Amino acid sequence: MNESTHFGLKSVPASEKASLVMGVFSSVAGNYDLMNDLMSGGLHRLWKRRMLSVAAARPGMRILDVAAGSGDIALGLSRKLGDKGRVVLTDLNGPMLAEGARCMLDHGLLSGRADCIQSDGSRLAFRDNSFDVVSIAFGIRNFTDIEAGLAEFHRVLRPGGQFICLEFSHPVLPLLDVAYDAYSFNIIPALGEWVTGDRDAYQYLVESIRRFPDQKRFEKLISWAGFELAKYENMTGGIVALHRGYKIK
Ligand code: SAM
């Protein structure tokens, strides 16, 4: 890994990024769901619903949801898995994972059907070939080493398994990029400050989105990690992209 990396639009020592990202999510955890609804006007629910509809989750499967946060994706996946399936929520950040655990408990899922394990997604404490599906939503752009994360997801996925990733991307419609930039850089940090008192966390959010590879480049990174049949679909004009890839052997 290089000695320096990006944290939003800033350059920071690579060894410091994970703790900076920790600080951001510890600060926003309690208001995370509310802010998602406010910032996206509820659109994040539609993006996540689409992700769940294409996830190859079947009754009895074992699924890993990385960067699970407050648990929206894990909950939706668990509903597709039925009584015999199991979803593992993992997240770098304790307070975010606690929100996920609360979500699972509120739905009666933590005993037997879901586990919460705090870990860095780029150093997973799971055996090779141990999950049928690996999912991650709005998490990977926060990783210090995206390639290392993708390699880990490939390692823990069983042959024939699906990797599915929802992430902010780059608008592809004319003028949408201009409007989106204006909204992101002018409104979101101010909204974040108003609701959470932490403007910097939301400044990081918009900068990290801007800094993340576009959909074509990220698709290449997925292929380079060993996934086959990689493809993506744009949502809301490319503001978000849903990526898929498969571990064939
Ligand atoms: N997946 C949830 C969702 O879609 O609502 C939460 C997404 S939230 C924007 C990003 C999450 O990624 C946070 O919970 C954060 O703690 C987690 N995260 C950031 N870096 C991580 C890493 N290296 N490994 C695992 N989780 C990480």
Side-chain angles (χ1 to χ4, degrees), residues 84-105:
K84 296 214 166 57
R86 200 172 190 100
V87 61
V88 177
L89 294 76
T90 186
D91 199 290
L92 180 66
N93 184 278
M96 286 297 288
L97 193 58
E99 295 295 323
R102 188 175 295 119
C103 170
M104 296 294 116
L105 284 165

Side-chain angles (χ1 to χ4, degrees), residues 98-140:
E99 295 295 323
R102 188 175 295 119
C103 170
M104 296 294 116
L105 284 165
D106 282 345
H107 292 86
L109 293 170
L110 212 50
S111 52
R113 290 177 53 187
D115 296 298
C116 293
I117 298 173
Q118 189 173 0
S119 89
D120 185 332
S122 55
R123 278 177 288 142
L124 292 169
F126 303 108
R127 286 196 302 273
D128 297 358
N129 308 323
S130 50
F131 293 96
D132 299 291
V133 175
V134 174
S135 60
I136 180 166
F138 304 116
I140 196 152

Side-chain angles (χ1 to χ4, degrees), residues 169-206:
S169 198
H170 292 244
V172 292
L173 296 180
L175 298 182
L176 181 60
D177 53 348
V178 179
Y180 180 56
D181 263 9
Y183 173 71
S184 299
F185 284 90
N186 296 316
I187 309 286
I188 289 182
L191 190 61
E193 181 166 29
W194 182 56
V195 175
T196 71
D198 188 345
R199 185 185 186 93
D200 290 350
Y202 288 89
Q203 184 70 29
Y204 162 73
L205 169 79
V206 296

Side-chain angles (χ1 to χ4, degrees), residues 10-173:
K10 294 186 204 73
S11 180
V12 297
S15 56
E16 288 176 16
K17 177 161 173 174
S19 63
L20 291 168
V21 168
M22 276 282 227
V24 166
F25 286 103
S26 295
S27 162
V28 305
N31 292 300
Y32 177 76
D33 291 327
L34 171 65
M35 274 302 288
N36 274 352
D37 277 330
L38 292 176
M39 287 185 299
S40 73
L43 276 174
H44 76 107
R45 293 170 186 267
L46 299 182
W47 300 329
K48 288 172 175 171
R49 196 178 301 164
R50 175 67 187 153
M51 179 184 196
L52 291 170
S53 78
V54 303
R58 302 285 179 271
M61 282 185 166
R62 189 173 148 83
I63 295 191
L64 177 66
D65 186 39
V66 184
S70 56
D72 285 358
I73 297 300
L75 176 63
L77 290 171
S78 177
R79 287 181 169 146
K80 292 180 84 170
L81 293 182
D83 288 348
K84 296 214 166 57
R86 200 172 190 100
V87 61
V88 177
L89 294 76
T90 186
D91 199 290
L92 180 66
N93 184 278
M96 286 297 288
L97 193 58
E99 295 295 323
R102 188 175 295 119
C103 170
M104 296 294 116
L105 284 165
D106 282 345
H107 292 86
L109 293 170
L110 212 50
S111 52
R113 290 177 53 187
D115 296 298
C116 293
I117 298 173
Q118 189 173 0
S119 89
D120 185 332
S122 55
R123 278 177 288 142
L124 292 169
F126 303 108
R127 286 196 302 273
D128 297 358
N129 308 323
S130 50
F131 293 96
D132 299 291
V133 175
V134 174
S135 60
I136 180 166
F138 304 116
I140 196 152
R141 70 171 192 286
N142 302 293
F143 281 32
T144 305
D145 188 340
I146 291 170
E147 285 93 334
L150 291 171
E152 276 295 84
F153 306 159
H154 188 268
R155 181 183 68 74
V156 300
L157 194 62
R158 68 155 169 86
Q162 182 199 49
F163 167 59
I164 186 161
C165 175
L166 188 64
E167 191 48 271
F168 289 107
S169 198
H170 292 244
V172 292
L173 296 180

